[in-house]
Amino acid sequence: MATSKDTGKQPGALSPRRLLQWAASPAVLDFIGRDRADAVASFVNNNLILKLRQRRAYAQSQAQDEAAKAYLKTHFCRRPFNTMETTHTGLVFACCPVYLPTPIGRLDQDHRDVWHSDVANKIRESIIDGTYSYCDHINCPFIAGRQLEPRDTDEAREFIDHHRKGRDVPPPPLQVVLSHDKSCNLACPSCRSGIYVANKARQAKLDDLTETSLLPMLKDAGEVIITGSGDAFGSNHFRNLIKRLTASEDYKDLQLHLHTNGQLFDERAWRDLNLSGHVGAVQISIDAAEADTYANVRRPGNFARLLKNLAFLKAKREEGEIKHLMFSMVVQNANFREMPAFVKMGQDFSADSVMFNMYRQRDVFSKGEFEEAFIGDPEHPEHADFLEILHAPELHLPIANLGNLAAYAPAGWLDADKHPSIGQAAE
């Protein structure tokens, strides 16, 4: 049950998370329709949930110990200086909205005005002054995992100098993360309570954005990530957008980074979307190394189909058609024992990296659901087993990246001198 500490309300009140759970319930969807339920959820997210996340991020920045403060003062994060991320609630962020929960504008605004907004510049100043006061220091894998780049590099200084010159200077090449369509062919329990596919009316609105916002935004970009919210191939909107990008000479230099569960990423999709020569990186969210576990955490995914598609992607990686192949796992009580095998799975399919990040509270899930799955809690009955798994030799290989898992282990448990992904700047 939510408490007044969690929500700012008295115990028993209808908390923001309860409102989101209510809006996502099948009975409400049947009664008021998905469009109205989505509108309620967007209002709650934009006006209530974000405020909670922002207060938590600021509190974390103030509670850093001296070692953490010293680290942040001497390291730099380029994401707020070169990244824009769209969201299904219509807001735009300068990083993942979980890692940096303060929006810099709206998707229906001119993207250059959003990029140079006052709040965007305040966020960048917080990186320059080393406070990172807008960032979530626990969930961000680059802060928690000590994977920021040193502040004294030429590239870091260039970003800082560019920022100080102001808006009269043309914007830098942007990395654009498109997360404004939640459509996905799976309903993974670490992400959502049911399958969501945009209906025709919603897809039409999304497709309108292609002309008014997305294509102009992407003309300034060097790479686009599709998607941080659902599945690149489970969304008709994103499939249509990819076709537009790969068919136009205006975007021939734009690199596509595709984030997908892999169920629909096969040879036919590669051919139909004209992906040859356009793909920079591919991230496959898998969350399991065994079929039974996969059936539980990737519902209703087919493990045999996944393996077949991974073999296809392995061939594309070895041909050089994919520049970087990553497998990722959301670590939870259902799968943490398979972490070593997951690294081996990445090696078998020619993955360049295997990324782990901790299961986190999703706003549509109950407290009980979260507590059962959240293996990072020291009070969890299997937490000690999780800590032992972190010492598995497979997790010390260069291919393994422990993301934000260091935040859930005792100080010194993961030695930066012994583990390559702790204290190493991410690419």
Side-chain angles (χ1 to χ4, degrees):
M1 179 180 294
T3 66
S4 56
K5 181 178 180 180
D6 295 326
T7 66
K9 296 179 179 295
Q10 295 300 315
L14 190 59
S15 70
R17 288 196 175 99
R18 288 285 182 86
L19 282 170
L20 289 179
Q21 291 166 12
W22 172 83
S25 67
V28 169
L29 292 174
D30 289 342
F31 183 67
I32 68 173
R34 183 173 292 278
D35 288 343
R36 289 191 178 92
D38 284 347
V40 170
S42 292
F43 178 86
V44 173
N45 269 307
N46 291 349
N47 295 281
L48 300 175
I49 293 293
L50 274 182
K51 299 300 182 185
L52 294 174
R53 291 178 179 170
Q54 289 162 14
R55 289 199 294 269
R56 181 178 62 199
Y58 181 75
Q60 289 170 0
S61 72
Q62 300 301 298
Q64 292 290 305
D65 60 28
E66 292 306 313
K69 290 179 181 178
Y71 174 80
L72 294 177
K73 288 286 186 181
T74 56
H75 287 76
F76 179 77
C77 180
R78 66 177 63 185
R79 286 158 194 80
F81 297 82
N82 76 341
T83 299
M84 293 175 67
E85 178 158 357
T86 66
T87 65
H88 68 276
T89 64
L91 299 179
V92 176
F93 294 77
C95 184
C96 167
V98 174
Y99 306 159
L100 203 168
T102 297
I104 61 174
R106 298 190 58 85
L107 187 52
D108 56 8
Q109 293 176 277
D110 185 284
H111 70 282
R112 291 175 181 265
D113 291 335
V114 172
W115 183 246
H116 294 288
S117 66
D118 289 342
V119 68
N121 288 323
K122 288 179 181 178
I123 289 170
R124 293 172 191 133
E125 286 294 337
S126 77
I127 306 300
I128 293 172
D129 67 26
T131 62
Y132 289 72
S133 55
Y134 292 87
C135 302
D136 188 313
H137 293 223
I138 301 299
N139 280 309
C140 173
F142 307 103
I143 295 177
R146 300 294 187 262
Q147 297 183 52
L148 299 174
E149 62 187 294
R151 183 179 293 265
D152 58 2
T153 65
D154 290 341
E155 288 185 332
R157 287 197 295 266
E158 184 177 350
F159 277 111
I160 294 171
D161 291 343
H162 183 277
H163 165 73
R164 288 174 172 162
K165 289 178 180 177
R167 65 174 298 145
D168 292 335
V169 179
L174 295 178
Q175 176 191 78
V176 177
V177 185
L178 299 182
S179 302
H180 54 272
D181 185 6
K182 299 186 297 180
S183 296
C184 187
N185 53 306
L186 299 184
C188 307
S190 61
C191 180
R192 58 188 67 193
S193 56
I195 289 177
Y196 176 91
V197 177
N199 59 26
K200 290 184 178 180
R202 174 64 177 165
Q203 185 179 324
K205 291 179 181 179
L206 293 171
D207 288 342
D208 286 343
L209 288 174
T210 298
E211 306 301 329
T212 60
S213 298
L214 303 181
L215 293 180
M217 183 188 300
L218 294 174
K219 281 190 176 180
D220 286 329
E223 61 186 33
V224 57
I225 299 176
I226 307 174
T227 168
S229 59
D231 189 85
F233 302 93
S235 161
N236 287 327
H237 164 67
F238 283 136
R239 292 177 73 103
N240 290 338
L241 176 62
I242 291 170
K243 287 180 181 179
R244 289 287 301 276
L245 296 175
T246 57
S248 173
E249 283 293 308
D250 291 339
Y251 302 95
K252 62 182 176 60
D253 296 324
L254 180 68
Q255 288 286 292
L256 301 180
H257 291 200
L258 302 172
H259 189 174
T260 170
N261 55 55
Q263 286 286 306
L264 302 176
F265 197 178
D266 54 15
E267 185 174 5
R268 178 178 179 180
W270 184 276
R271 182 179 62 253
D272 289 351
L273 299 180
N274 188 32
L275 292 176
S276 182
H278 296 281
V279 178
V282 171
Q283 179 178 347
I284 310 295
S285 298
I286 301 173
D287 289 3
E290 299 178 3
D292 289 346
T293 304
Y294 189 81
N296 178 26
V297 301
R298 292 271 139 181
R299 307 168 188 168
N302 183 305
F303 195 65
R305 178 187 299 155
L306 172 72
L307 295 180
K308 180 179 179 180
N309 290 350
L310 292 182
F312 167 73
L313 296 176
K314 174 183 179 180
K316 289 299 178 185
R317 176 66 189 96
E318 293 175 348
E319 293 168 6
E321 285 275 18
I322 296 172
K323 305 299 187 296
H324 186 97
L325 180 61
M326 174 194 288
F327 290 179
S328 62
M329 172 185 281
V330 176
V331 178
Q332 53 200 286
N333 70 317
N335 64 11
F336 76 92
R337 298 180 190 278
E338 295 177 24
M339 291 173 64
F342 193 63
V343 174
K344 179 63 166 58
M345 183 179 181
Q347 292 177 315
D348 290 343
F349 286 99
S350 297
D352 298 275
S353 59
V354 176
M355 168 71 82
F356 299 95
N357 274 305
M358 182 58 70
Y359 177 95
R360 66 179 180 85
Q361 171 70 63
R362 294 280 182 167
D363 299 317
V364 298
F365 297 145
S366 70
K367 181 179 179 181
E369 289 173 320
F370 173 68
E371 289 179 345
E372 180 182 356
F374 180 46
I375 198 67
D377 183 357
E379 301 300 320
H380 193 286
E382 296 180 278
H383 182 72
D385 294 338
F386 160 68
L387 294 180
E388 288 302 319
I389 288 290
L390 295 182
H391 286 317
E394 292 87 348
L395 301 183
H396 293 251
L397 297 173
I399 191 177
N401 188 320
L402 295 191
N404 64 5
L405 296 189
Y408 302 93
W413 191 265
L414 293 171
D415 192 328
D417 294 331
K418 298 178 180 178
H419 200 290
S421 75
I422 303 298
Q424 175 183 341
E427 294 183 357

